[in-house]
Amino acid sequence: MTVAAFRPDDERLADAVELIESLGATPVPDPMLAVEPTGDTPRSDADFVVLTSKTGVELASGERGGEGAAPAERWDPGDATVCAIGEPTADILRETGYEVDLVPEEFSSSGLVDALAEDVDGARVEVARSDHGSEVLTDGLEDAGAYVHETILYRLVRPDGAGESAELAAEGDLDAALFTSSLTVEHFLDAAADRGVREDAVAGLAAATVGVIGEPTRETAESLGIDVDVVPERADFEELACATIEDGAPTYTE
């Protein structure tokens, strides 16, 4: 069973490959995201600070460099309530020496809004993330009465050469795909278009098992003509991979 993973070409992709292999499938690593740091850091005068990714934490803490250069100084949250969108982000915050005050039960923008809604009326909320963050978070916090400021820590771009998985899908040789964000869906289709196989790639995905990490990604995929088979209950890559491969496995054991 060939399974495409679209994570950035760092330890996340290496971990994805290892996980897919451990589940008895053949990984097709095809990074659809590359990180371009901006060099900016979260504001230090907020009442609440929201971090939404491992990459954002690494950049804010100075643990990660890149062409945009790491922050000159480590971000200091001061007395702010530090919020992580999910446990993976909370884990890296703790590993880099920060205390985590809040992690929502539902690891999503809407889950974080629900967790903060009763506490942020009149408060200053700093949201530090990529340039493709969901407006669900910022709009939801503003609707709850917060004064929201957004800092773009990094930009997400499509790497040169991405699209091997699109070629395989177009040829009918891809059995499953693991989309971890709306942007990975969009970049997959852009890469397919660049190779002149977009229509065939979408048709190939219809015959494969498509897993997406959450409802926003499902909505994006389906709006662009991709049928979605699996959305795990928890927005976690391991659960996504396990559920998608398990769903697709019966096809290969008949």
Side-chain angles (χ1 to χ4, degrees):
M1 183 176 183
T2 54
V3 181
F6 306 118
R7 311 202 82 185
D9 191 10
D10 53 26
E11 70 279 358
R12 286 168 291 187
L13 188 62
D15 290 345
V17 166
E18 183 178 353
L19 173 61
I20 292 167
E21 289 177 338
S22 75
L23 295 170
T26 300
V28 179
D30 192 7
M32 288 293 166
L33 300 175
V35 174
E36 290 186 350
T38 64
D40 292 335
T41 53
R43 292 177 64 167
S44 58
D45 59 350
D47 301 305
F48 295 81
V49 180
V50 176
L51 280 302
T52 65
S53 70
K54 176 180 178 180
T55 299
V57 174
E58 291 173 338
L59 290 169
S61 66
E63 295 289 327
R64 180 183 182 129
E67 293 182 3
E73 296 182 3
R74 174 183 170 89
W75 165 64
D76 181 358
D79 295 327
T81 298
V82 177
C83 311
I85 200 167
E87 283 298 343
T89 306
D91 288 343
I92 191 66
L93 276 163
R94 297 182 186 107
E95 288 173 15
T96 51
Y98 295 106
E99 292 186 6
V100 179
D101 301 301
L102 185 145
V103 183
E105 291 184 10
E106 178 188 331
F107 297 171
S108 68
S109 293
S110 58
L112 192 49
V113 169
D114 289 343
L116 287 171
E118 296 183 359
D119 301 315
V120 296
D121 188 15
R124 292 169 296 178
V125 180
E126 168 75 345
V127 176
R129 58 184 184 176
S130 79
D131 62 331
H132 283 86
S134 170
E135 293 181 357
V136 170
L137 178 57
T138 49
D139 289 352
L141 292 171
E142 287 178 348
D143 289 344
Y147 300 101
V148 179
H149 179 269
E150 182 178 17
T151 296
I152 302 303
L153 301 177
Y154 59 100
R155 300 182 182 90
L156 291 170
V157 300
R158 177 162 55 98
D160 294 336
E164 176 191 358
S165 58
E167 297 259 9
L168 290 175
E171 295 164 2
D173 292 330
L174 188 68
D175 299 315
L178 308 174
F179 291 105
T180 50
S181 68
S182 292
L183 198 56
T184 58
V185 176
E186 294 165 1
H187 284 182
F188 173 90
L189 293 175
D190 290 344
D194 285 351
R195 294 172 182 243
V197 297
R198 176 172 172 143
E199 185 175 336
D200 289 339
V202 171
L205 289 181
T209 302
V210 175
V212 302
I213 207 161
E215 287 301 326
T217 309
R218 179 209 282 272
E219 292 172 7
T220 298
E222 292 182 343
S223 72
L224 294 171
I226 297 175
D227 294 331
V228 174
D229 302 292
V230 176
V231 184
E233 291 186 7
R234 186 167 175 260
D236 175 80
F237 182 80
E238 183 172 348
E239 290 199 17
L240 172 65
C242 291
T244 302
I245 291 172
E246 181 179 353
D247 187 85
T251 302
Y252 306 96
T253 57
E254 292 177 354

